Amino acid sequence: MTEFIRINRRLFLARLGKGTMALAVLGACGDDGSQGTTTAQGSTTAQATTTAAPSTPATTDVANYLRVNLGFVSAYIIVRGTEAGVVDTGVFGSEGAIEGALGAADLTWANVGHVILTHHHPDHAGSIAAVLNAASAATGYIGNADLDNVDTPRQLQAVNDGDEVFGLTVIHTPGHTAGHISLFDAAAGVLVAGDAINGAGGGVVGPNPDFSEDHTQALASVGKLVGSSFETIYFGHGEPVMSGGSALITQLVRDY
């Protein structure tokens, strides 16, 4: 089941009043990113349920974050004013859920200027071709070492440690894949971690050794997340942490 986390209370209540929430039941996803049958109920085509969570008020400088929960993996939409960025695209066929989340925020693909992949695995990059085709004006980005592992309708831009994209600082966190990146939004106090770490039980756990290309390196990369100040962590897998994010990662590294 997918889920949409609102950006702010006023937007959520407005959409609720218009009756635009949708419900979808997704079939089980396999390790290869395949999906089962989807059935939907509601007034939009989004494969998403909508629930509320606190975030940062919208301005042109401080971003709002939308979570598109695709079941076992999540994509994210970042909104600054009338421009949006998409972080990760889910498994193949996830573009409808992303489009629905954009629509719930009164945005369209024309508002999307940036599409960022945290890494090349098919549960995160499975819909990159469809998303870039739909968001025809958007620039796509991926970590430099993962650039040759994704097929796209137009060339992605390689990013490296310390680069900035759409107000986000790139943190190269290799190990899960060689080019894995996390994204730090200092203004909003948000870390988008990709698969560098995972959410579990309301907290943070380390990278999954079963899916890390180099698990020793992946563990070392968690240490690169220490020192930045953020409250919120959005994961590729697991429920977001909405407060105390920096402290949780610091404790995780101490416990290794």
Side-chain angles (χ1 to χ4, degrees):
M1 183 173 290
T2 66
E3 153 185 276
F4 165 62
I5 293 184
R6 71 162 168 107
I7 345 176
N8 58 58
R9 187 172 192 272
R10 180 163 52 187
L11 174 59
F12 173 74
L13 292 176
R15 302 307 297 179
L16 181 63
K18 295 178 183 178
T20 57
M21 292 192 294
L23 173 67
V25 179
L26 300 186
C29 295
D31 292 338
D32 62 353
S34 60
Q35 290 185 315
T37 303
T38 301
T39 60
Q41 173 183 335
S43 59
T44 78
T45 58
Q47 298 177 356
T49 59
T50 60
T51 57
S55 188
T56 309
T59 72
T60 55
D61 296 317
V62 180
N64 288 321
Y65 286 76
L66 310 173
R67 180 191 182 199
V68 188
N69 186 342
L70 301 164
F72 78 105
V73 69
S74 294
Y76 295 94
I77 298 170
I78 303 169
V79 183
R80 298 183 189 276
T82 59
E83 187 176 13
V86 175
V87 179
D88 288 338
T89 64
V91 297
F92 181 82
S94 298
E95 65 275 9
I98 296 171
E99 182 178 26
L102 286 166
D106 292 325
L107 300 172
T108 70
W109 291 116
N111 297 99
V112 177
H114 311 272
V115 180
I116 308 168
L117 296 179
T118 60
H119 60 293
H120 69 79
H121 285 167
D123 55 333
H124 292 256
S127 292
I128 183 62
V131 167
L132 285 179
N133 281 331
S136 59
T139 301
Y141 310 83
I142 194 169
N144 190 30
D146 279 6
L147 183 61
D148 294 333
N149 293 298
V150 181
D151 292 325
T152 56
R154 56 186 180 274
Q155 183 69 36
L156 299 180
Q157 181 174 318
V159 293
N160 297 285
D161 195 58
D163 287 347
E164 289 198 8
V165 177
F166 197 43
L168 306 168
T169 300
V170 173
I171 306 173
H172 183 215
T173 45
H176 186 72
T177 66
H180 188 284
I181 60 172
S182 301
L183 302 164
F184 173 52
D185 185 337
V190 171
L191 176 73
V192 184
D195 284 3
I197 51 177
N198 298 284
V204 177
V205 295
N208 191 328
D210 294 335
F211 300 103
S212 295
E213 294 177 3
D214 184 334
H215 190 58
T216 299
Q217 188 179 46
L219 290 173
S221 286
V222 179
K224 296 185 68 175
L225 304 176
V226 174
S228 298
S229 179
F230 47 86
E231 289 292 319
T232 302
I233 309 174
Y234 292 115
F235 307 98
H237 304 279
E239 293 300 309
V241 165
M242 302 308 296
S243 63
S246 296
L248 287 172
I249 293 180
T250 298
Q251 187 60 52
L252 177 65
V253 172
R254 288 174 180 167
D255 291 342
Y256 279 165

